[in-house]
Amino acid sequence: MLAFLSTLARLAAVLAFGAALGSSSAPAVVSLSHAGPPPTGAIGRDVGDVSCANALSGDVDFGVVATTAGKPYYPSACLSSEYAWARGLAYRPQYYVNLADPGHKSAHWGQGGPRTCHRGPKYDGGCAYDYGFEAAKTAWGYARSVGASGAGRWWLDVETDNTWGYTRNGVAANIAVVRGALDELRGHAHVSAGIYTETTWWTYITGATTSFSHTSVWGGGANSKRHARLNCRAHSITGGPALLAQWISSGIDHDIAC
């Protein structure tokens, strides 16, 4: 009952603040989420385009919401409803964006960005950086379009389901894609950006580079909560600290805060 009264008090405070602002062209967004990250041991769930048809329960502490539908530059059809669900949980929504490195045949390759891009080579480093930078920028726009502030944690989904380069130049370009996306997201106020991956994926895609050793990790690959908890390590897959660890049970993605 005390927790219920506390929730009512917070809701009343938000509504009173909105009333004090007077008339506005945009309605106030009411959220009961705490602004800070979830504490160690908190349980969450990550959702995306493939989980549109699944029921979203409120028995978790936080949600990680896909902005993209499995690959960059494709918005998730469920972003609006899944963001609304995550916003109603105890802790601020987190977001992820799928990355890839399709090379110069992609329509999004060489379409602008902060680096000089030479479109001729299949895996030009400048083009790759720009591709990642613009992919993250586009995903940010998707989140903003459903009313999200975008503040909080963002994750770059780096997995072998998408197209990557596996030659020497391809791997270097893969790394540039990740770096570009990280730089774009970190350019926003009140945002931290990390990498979601598994050890095998990271090895294939980046050659197990340790150049992101100061970047936080959301680690996949566990098949139980106990296994996921063991993946909460000070130096994880990329060499950076693990902040989240995922496990999959009955087709549902679960996460634990490290």
Side-chain angles (χ1 to χ4, degrees):
M1 176 61 74
L2 288 176
F4 176 70
L5 292 175
S6 174
T7 298
L8 288 178
R10 285 195 291 133
L11 179 57
V14 171
L15 293 174
F17 177 73
L21 290 178
S23 61
S24 172
S25 59
V29 175
V30 178
S31 172
L32 301 182
S33 300
H34 296 296
T40 299
I43 300 300
R45 179 176 168 189
D46 58 278
V47 293
D49 201 64
V50 296
S51 54
C52 283
N54 295 342
L56 297 174
S57 65
D59 60 350
V60 292
D61 302 308
F62 64 95
V64 190
V65 180
T67 58
T68 47
K71 53 185 177 180
Y73 297 102
Y74 288 83
S76 171
C78 309
L79 177 55
S80 180
S81 60
E82 291 178 344
Y83 166 69
W85 161 77
R87 192 183 62 185
L89 300 177
Y91 294 92
R92 168 184 281 170
Q94 300 181 39
Y95 312 90
Y96 73 90
V97 51
N98 300 97
L99 288 185
D101 176 15
H104 65 4
K105 291 186 178 180
S106 169
H108 298 283
W109 197 261
Q111 295 298 305
R115 296 280 175 89
T116 299
C117 170
H118 302 285
R119 288 184 57 87
K122 183 176 182 180
Y123 291 120
D124 177 75
C127 297
Y129 180 95
D130 289 348
Y131 181 89
F133 188 96
E134 293 298 319
K137 183 178 178 180
T138 301
W140 176 270
Y142 296 155
R144 295 285 290 168
S145 73
V146 299
S149 71
R153 286 180 181 168
W154 280 73
W155 300 97
L156 306 178
D157 187 311
V158 179
E159 55 181 287
T160 52
D161 282 355
N162 278 334
T163 302
W164 298 91
Y166 293 107
T167 64
R168 181 177 179 180
N169 288 340
V171 169
N174 298 344
I175 293 170
V177 168
V178 175
R179 193 173 304 282
L182 283 173
D183 287 351
E184 199 287 329
L185 291 172
R186 289 170 174 170
H188 297 279
H190 310 297
V191 168
S192 63
I195 295 168
Y196 166 82
T197 195
E198 294 183 13
T199 301
T200 301
W201 299 343
W202 190 248
T203 300
Y204 280 136
I205 293 169
T206 73
T209 182
T210 57
S211 60
F212 299 97
S213 60
H214 297 292
T215 300
S216 55
V217 175
W218 169 20
N223 55 18
S224 68
K225 181 179 178 180
R226 179 179 177 277
H227 186 185
R229 195 185 299 274
L230 292 174
N231 286 339
C232 287
R233 300 170 182 170
H235 301 285
S236 190
I237 298 166
T238 69
L243 296 186
L244 291 183
Q246 179 194 69
W247 80 95
I248 300 174
S249 176
S250 300
I252 303 295
D253 293 358
H254 304 275
D255 304 283
I256 186 168
C258 297

